[in-house]
Amino acid sequence: NELAILEFIHLLVETMDRHFGNVCELDIMFHLEKAHFMLEEMVMNGCIVETSKSNILAPIQLMDKAS
Amino acid sequence: MARDLAPDVERLLQFRDPNIRKKAALCSIRIVKKVPDLAENFINPAASLLKEKHHGVLLTGIQLCTDLCRVSAEALEYFRKKCTEGLVKVLKDVVNSPYAPEYDISGIADPFLHIRLLRLLRVLGQGDADASDCMNDILAQVATKTESNKNAGNAILYECVETIMSIEDNSGLRVLAINILGRFLSNRDNNIRYVALNMLMKAITVDTQAVQRHRPTILERVKDSDASIRKRALELVYLLVNESNVKPLTKELIEYLEAGNYVKDEVWHALIVVITNASNLHGYTVRSLYRAVQTSGEQVTESDAVDVIEVAIKHHTTDLTTRAMRIKDIIVQDKGNLVLELQQRSIEFNSVIEKHQNIRSALVERMPVLDEATYSGRRAGSLSAAVSTSQGAALNLSNGVAKAAAPPLVDLLDLSSDDTPAPSSSGNDFLQDLLGVDLSPASSQAGQAQKSGTDVLLDLLSIGSPSAQDSSFTPNALSKSSQDDKTSMGALERLSSPSASSIQASSPAGGSPMMDLLDGFASSPPLPEANGLAYPSVVAFESNSLRVMFNFSKQPGNPRTTLIEATFMNKSSVVYTDFIFQAAVPKFLQLHLDPASSNSLPESGNGSITQKLRLTNSQHGKKALVMRIRINYKVNSKDTLEEGQISNFPRDL
């Protein structure tokens, strides 16, 4: 479903925005692993697994707190 | 490894932590894909996953079920029986759920879940009437309730439509679905239109009537600004054509033909096959196409006229047909080839086999095409007079077609004799101005040549490159997209390339002088007959106020160097002062300019300035000469600048 993919891309950007606060390419560049983590939370094995922003960001925030 | 881990994963599917359950579900998907035998073990736990509250787990659970159904028929049965109502209920909850901040996307709670559920329902409902019945209500509810001003809503609607299309027949829902698609088509977003057109193409196999109702919208899409939308709309229209609506549709399409440049030839061909299948319209379409050919001279319509004729004539030899198909598939825009095909067909009618072989080899390998083409062209020329009559006899199909077909055929072949006196289109004038060629010598040559425009065509082919370049000079009048490929190569900034590569190359170059010929019925080759002088003098550059002629000579024993004597003539009635001529050449050429005879050019051709140039071609024989020139002079103490490109050097310099 092509339109769903469009939605997904939108969701991804919004999640990153929520985490980084007004995300731009620099953020992605400097925190590439975090961007990858986020993406991994959302997509796995080719399908969309998580669509709730809080659920996605929770483990990442945990990681940030621990480091 | 999958087998070893399977029981563990199964256990984890019921673990406390939802995250673990989620990952376990995904893992099971992987396992099931790898080892379909293990699928049975997962059916039960998967069913329980469907009752989850946590959206993430629910999502993966649904995905697992979908994959299970795909992998094993037994699972499919199981799910159908047990879970359909459950699923419907879940969907209902999700649709009716109140605002949930976590999963909210533009007003709709978790559209991804919606979509995933719909997909599973689709898999379950396919081929099964009972399951489909259960789903009808919820599908109708989703279809009507979801707002479509946001993309999320549209995504859900799209999935819904797809589901409706796949489940067992329910005409009410179908109509609803197609109406939704029709609404999509009028949406401003290109993506949505594209998706709707795609879907409609699939829907048409199921239910044609409903789609017919949206015909006007689809026809509008054919004129869309986006090329891929246009292409899809066109395919859709082709699919829509049936006996009742073919007449207005073809009228629309023929109008569109004149504008359409981006559609692949295969689609056109298929379209025309359909049109000509409606045999009562043969006469009408051929006549209107012929009219279009005469008035617009567009290249696309040209090839379509050829196509229609080809189909209407009904090839006697199948190998010809298959080859025609094959060639069409291989070469998209090889118009020159098409015209040769036509000659070839005319020859076929007279069934001279050995000539057929000649042309076949000529068509297959393009490198030596010139000699053989000339040969076959000459033969065709002599036969073409006989062709029109024999064609008339051979065409027993329908008189209308025969009459209409013969004139275009003859017209195509007899271009020069009809049209030398006055060029018919403005494109031709432009070309002429640029080339600075008088029409009269051309017409006398054409008169000698006697007939089939083929010879002139082929002469153009052999001197082909220069006109190819000039045609790229005249972008709005003549050139088509094929020119763009050529401009990317080459040493000079803008336009120089094609000359060299186009001699060798092939279809584009071969095509474009044809194109020039066919478009403007320009029978005036840029140079006089090549078999006249060894190095004829050319009008290198001509504008409203100036003419530059080049006379060539070569030193014996040094073929790479050409001596050019440039003669400048003033066409206006004012004398030019401070006359300076400059020239630039690509890297493979070396240029040496001797000083000019004088700096002032008397008016109205009362005198002239001459200047000697020496050009050394390091790629002699491989690349032809090209040159960019710039002329500065003063008219009444006012500076004037003229620039131009000379590409009509004789080929063997």
Side-chain angles (χ1 to χ4, degrees):
Chain A
N1 186 344
E2 298 91 338
L3 296 173
I5 306 284
L6 206 54
E7 276 310 307
F8 177 70
I9 297 173
H10 203 62
L11 179 67
L12 176 64
V13 174
E14 264 180 29
T15 314
M16 290 211 273
D17 200 33
R18 178 95 84 84
H19 185 265
F20 291 120
N22 219 358
V23 68
C24 61
E25 314 82 63
L26 283 176
D27 283 318
I28 301 182
M29 238 173 53
F30 283 130
H31 303 290
L32 192 59
E33 2 45 271
K34 291 223 193 93
H36 268 271
F37 283 146
M38 257 186 279
L39 192 55
E40 221 176 74
E41 294 281 325
M42 289 207 257
V43 178
M44 202 164 288
N45 202 22
C47 38
I48 305 172
V49 290
E50 189 61 68
T51 51
S52 136
K53 291 200 202 85
S54 34
N55 284 4
I56 295 172
L57 292 176
I60 305 202
Q61 278 155 1
L62 275 174
M63 245 185 350
D64 281 342
K65 245 189 285 185
S67 64
Chain B
M1 188 166 88
R3 289 180 204 275
D4 295 335
L5 291 174
D8 281 327
V9 173
E10 223 183 292
R11 199 168 30 89
L12 286 171
L13 275 171
Q14 279 129 10
F15 204 77
R16 274 172 291 115
D17 186 8
N19 278 323
I20 304 271
R21 282 204 297 257
K22 188 171 68 176
K23 304 271 172 33
L26 285 172
C27 202
S28 353
I29 296 179
R30 205 57 186 280
I31 294 178
V32 162
K33 278 202 190 128
K34 270 250 148 96
V35 188
D37 310 330
L38 293 174
E40 304 98 56
N41 304 351
F42 288 103
I43 296 179
N44 278 324
S48 60
L49 277 180
L50 288 176
K51 303 193 189 73
E52 287 287 334
K53 287 280 168 9
H54 188 269
H55 280 214
V57 186
L58 195 47
L59 212 51
T60 52
I62 295 173
Q63 188 66 26
L64 177 59
C65 295
T66 319
D67 283 325
L68 277 173
C69 294
R70 278 210 200 110
V71 160
S72 109
E74 181 195 317
L76 186 58
E77 282 310 309
Y78 180 83
F79 283 118
R80 263 204 198 126
K81 279 195 219 78
K82 294 257 187 134
C83 309
T84 316
E85 294 127 33
L87 282 172
V88 170
K89 189 164 164 306
V90 173
L91 186 54
K92 212 176 283 188
D93 288 338
V94 175
V95 168
N96 293 329
S97 69
Y99 177 74
E102 275 195 355
Y103 292 107
D104 178 65
I105 293 183
S106 57
I108 304 176
D110 208 348
F112 295 104
L113 189 60
H114 275 94
I115 294 173
R116 210 47 84 67
L117 279 166
L118 284 167
R119 209 171 278 176
L120 182 57
L121 284 176
R122 179 159 80 235
V123 172
L124 290 180
Q126 226 160 6
D128 185 44
D130 295 330
S132 313
D133 284 333
C134 298
M135 298 179 216
N136 284 342
D137 294 331
I138 188 65
L139 284 174
Q141 187 185 358
V142 172
T144 45
K145 258 190 72 180
T146 321
E147 14 172 288
S148 67
N149 43 358
K150 290 286 166 62
N151 189 39
N154 282 331
I156 295 180
L157 281 173
Y158 177 58
E159 193 71 35
C160 199
V161 167
E162 224 177 318
T163 305
I164 293 178
M165 286 294 131
S166 332
I167 65 176
E168 287 304 301
D169 184 50
N170 185 330
S171 40
L173 272 184
R174 288 255 166 82
V175 172
L176 185 59
I178 295 189
N179 283 342
I180 295 178
L181 286 178
R183 228 176 38 218
F184 274 10
L185 272 182
S186 332
N187 198 308
R188 263 181 294 138
D189 187 2
N190 272 346
N191 293 331
I192 297 183
R193 277 188 245 172
Y194 180 91
V195 151
L197 283 172
N198 258 344
M199 189 90 248
L200 277 172
M201 269 200 287
K202 276 186 255 165
I204 233 175
T205 53
V206 177
D207 183 359
T208 337
Q209 272 313 101
V211 188
Q212 293 282 1
R213 248 176 280 133
H214 292 282
R215 203 170 65 232
T217 344
I218 298 174
L219 278 175
E220 239 183 83
R221 284 302 133 246
V222 167
K223 305 192 186 80
D224 198 284
S225 51
D226 186 57
S228 53
I229 290 186
R230 270 208 294 258
K231 178 167 149 256
R232 279 186 169 61
L234 214 50
E235 287 179 21
L236 200 57
V237 171
Y238 153 62
L239 287 169
L240 275 178
V241 162
N242 63 27
E243 275 158 10
S244 56
N245 62 14
V246 80
K247 196 154 188 178
L249 271 185
T250 36
K251 208 185 303 180
E252 278 268 354
L253 288 170
I254 288 171
E255 281 172 27
Y256 178 68
L257 277 180
E258 295 169 357
N261 280 334
Y262 294 110
V263 183
K264 285 197 288 225
D265 274 351
E266 290 98 41
V267 176
W268 283 128
H269 186 77
L271 187 65
I272 287 160
V273 167
V274 167
I275 293 173
T276 51
N277 275 338
S279 54
N280 58 340
L281 280 191
H282 263 175
Y284 172 70
T285 34
V286 173
R287 253 173 278 132
S288 54
L289 276 177
Y290 175 51
R291 229 180 300 128
V293 165
Q294 280 184 318
T295 53
S296 75
E298 278 279 338
Q299 187 50 28
V300 177
T301 346
E302 192 70 45
S303 68
D304 277 314
V306 173
D307 284 345
V308 171
I309 293 165
E310 163 198 337
V311 175
I313 286 175
K314 269 223 186 121
H315 323 260
H316 297 306
T317 54
T318 49
D319 69 334
L320 178 61
T321 320
T322 51
R323 181 150 35 96
M325 300 288 176
R326 194 161 38 92
I327 290 178
K328 267 194 182 62
D329 286 342
I330 296 171
I331 311 138
V332 178
Q333 292 228 337
D334 191 7
K335 303 301 187 268
N337 199 5
L338 279 179
V339 179
L340 286 172
E341 289 252 347
L342 206 54
Q343 302 166 24
Q344 177 188 319
R345 234 165 282 124
S346 67
I347 297 171
E348 281 282 300
F349 275 117
N350 298 276
S351 53
V352 181
I353 305 298
E354 65 246 325
K355 282 187 207 113
H356 184 62
Q357 295 296 344
N358 261 348
I359 302 162
R360 194 199 291 257
S361 59
L363 286 176
V364 166
E365 358 154 14
R366 236 152 295 276
M367 293 291 254
V369 71
L370 298 174
D371 299 332
E372 287 169 323
T374 325
Y375 168 70
S376 54
R378 296 242 158 81
R379 298 301 286 260
S382 59
L383 292 169
S384 64
V387 162
S388 42
T389 49
S390 68
Q391 278 217 336
L395 295 175
N396 295 325
L397 302 178
S398 58
N399 291 330
V401 176
K403 286 200 209 79
L409 197 64
V410 171
D411 246 5
L412 278 176
L413 296 178
D414 287 351
L415 291 170
S416 52
S417 46
D418 292 341
D419 294 304
T420 38
S424 44
S425 68
S426 59
N428 197 13
D429 287 331
F430 193 22
L431 189 63
Q432 268 190 292
D433 276 347
L434 213 54
L435 299 176
V437 173
D438 304 323
L439 202 40
S440 39
S443 63
S444 62
Q445 291 152 20
Q448 295 166 348
Q450 221 202 29
K451 71 281 233 280
S452 64
T454 57
D455 268 0
V456 185
L457 276 178
L458 298 162
D459 285 333
L460 265 188
L461 253 188
S462 58
I463 326 168
S465 45
S467 63
Q469 277 209 307
D470 294 315
S471 60
S472 55
F473 238 139
T474 63
N476 47 346
L478 299 169
S479 72
K480 302 288 182 233
S481 51
S482 60
Q483 300 291 346
D484 294 337
D485 315 31
K486 292 190 275 179
T487 54
S488 57
M489 327 177 253
L492 293 180
E493 322 159 22
R494 271 186 301 142
L495 301 164
S496 61
S497 55
S499 64
S501 31
S502 60
I503 299 173
Q504 272 74 11
S506 48
S507 33
S512 56
M514 302 287 194
M515 205 157 71
D516 300 343
L517 192 66
L518 294 174
D519 275 351
F521 296 92
S523 54
S524 51
L527 295 175
E529 280 274 0
N531 46 0
L533 311 161
Y535 304 120
S537 58
V538 299
V539 178
F541 175 76
E542 179 149 7
S543 69
N544 283 338
S545 41
L546 189 66
R547 182 187 298 145
V548 182
M549 304 248 345
F550 277 4
N551 286 320
F552 305 101
S553 63
K554 282 212 190 241
Q555 290 168 339
N558 192 354
R560 302 197 324 178
T561 305
T562 313
L563 294 171
I564 305 177
E565 188 176 12
T567 312
F568 304 97
M569 257 179 308
N570 185 344
K571 281 165 79 171
S572 75
S573 50
V574 189
V575 65
Y576 295 159
T577 53
D578 292 87
F579 191 93
I580 296 180
F581 167 74
Q582 295 165 314
V585 289
K587 294 195 180 66
F588 61 87
L589 293 173
Q590 276 173 324
L591 173 67
H592 181 86
L593 269 167
D594 290 335
S597 60
S598 94
N599 267 10
S600 81
L601 194 55
E603 68 280 9
S604 310
N606 280 341
S608 63
I609 297 181
T610 55
Q611 194 162 7
K612 284 206 173 42
L613 302 90
R614 203 163 49 234
L615 265 180
T616 307
N617 187 354
S618 60
Q619 304 246 24
H620 175 71
K622 278 183 264 162
K623 287 195 183 188
L625 304 179
V626 289
M627 186 189 289
R628 287 195 75 182
I629 64 169
R630 179 194 278 232
I631 302 177
N632 274 307
Y633 55 84
K634 280 207 178 83
V635 179
N636 295 331
S637 308
K638 190 178 65 130
D639 268 319
T640 320
L641 170 69
E642 295 202 69
E643 287 181 312
Q645 170 146 335
I646 308 171
S647 14
N648 49 352
F649 288 96
R651 195 186 141 206
D652 34 1
L653 275 182

